Amino acid sequence: METKIVISKLHKFNKRWKRKKAHRAVALMNRVINSNEFREAVKAFDFTDRRYQKDPKGPIEEIMDNLKIYEILKQGNEQYGNREDDYKWTLHLKLGKFLRQVGRREKELIITQNWFMRRSTDIELAAHWFHEYSHIFGFRHDYEETEERPNSIPYGLGTIVKDVYKKLNG
Ligand SMILES: [Zn+2]
């Protein structure tokens, strides 16, 4: 079954090019998630931090089976909002100014810094939203820049998205 990634809200995307870029990035996200290459890359990735919190108030577990990670992503079972396996991601996106990082998320809202919106390529933006949305499913990583962080599920997915895109474009 195909997963459908859609934009439900664009806050402060005050220029036409920003809205167009957002839609292009989401088109890339759809292409990547529904490819066999993505499935294979998630299966093969050596995640060293596998923390997952199914419910925002529930316990943190570790997912040892990469296929399970893939299935959560494909099925679209978010912590907030629509919790069903609806094979749908609904992106609430906002641009912000005063963030130290590239972006962050607040519950189901993803905030991206304006400078990153300007400087990123479409696939970098797609990878960033993929990372942030993975938090909405309950995947976690160290807050500090640790050695493990690049191989956490959210950071790993960002890497995977860029790699898969390269493969798809041969
Ligand atoms: Zn993160």
Side-chain angles (χ1 to χ4, degrees), residues 140-153:
R140 303 170 67 108
H141 58 71
D142 290 338
Y143 188 70
E144 306 287 329
E145 266 183 57
T146 57
E147 223 171 273
E148 274 209 327
R149 199 169 74 164
N151 296 321
S152 63
I153 295 167

Side-chain angles (χ1 to χ4, degrees), residues 8 23 44 72 74 78:
S8 78
H23 285 283
I72 290 166
K74 281 288 292 175
E78 294 90 350

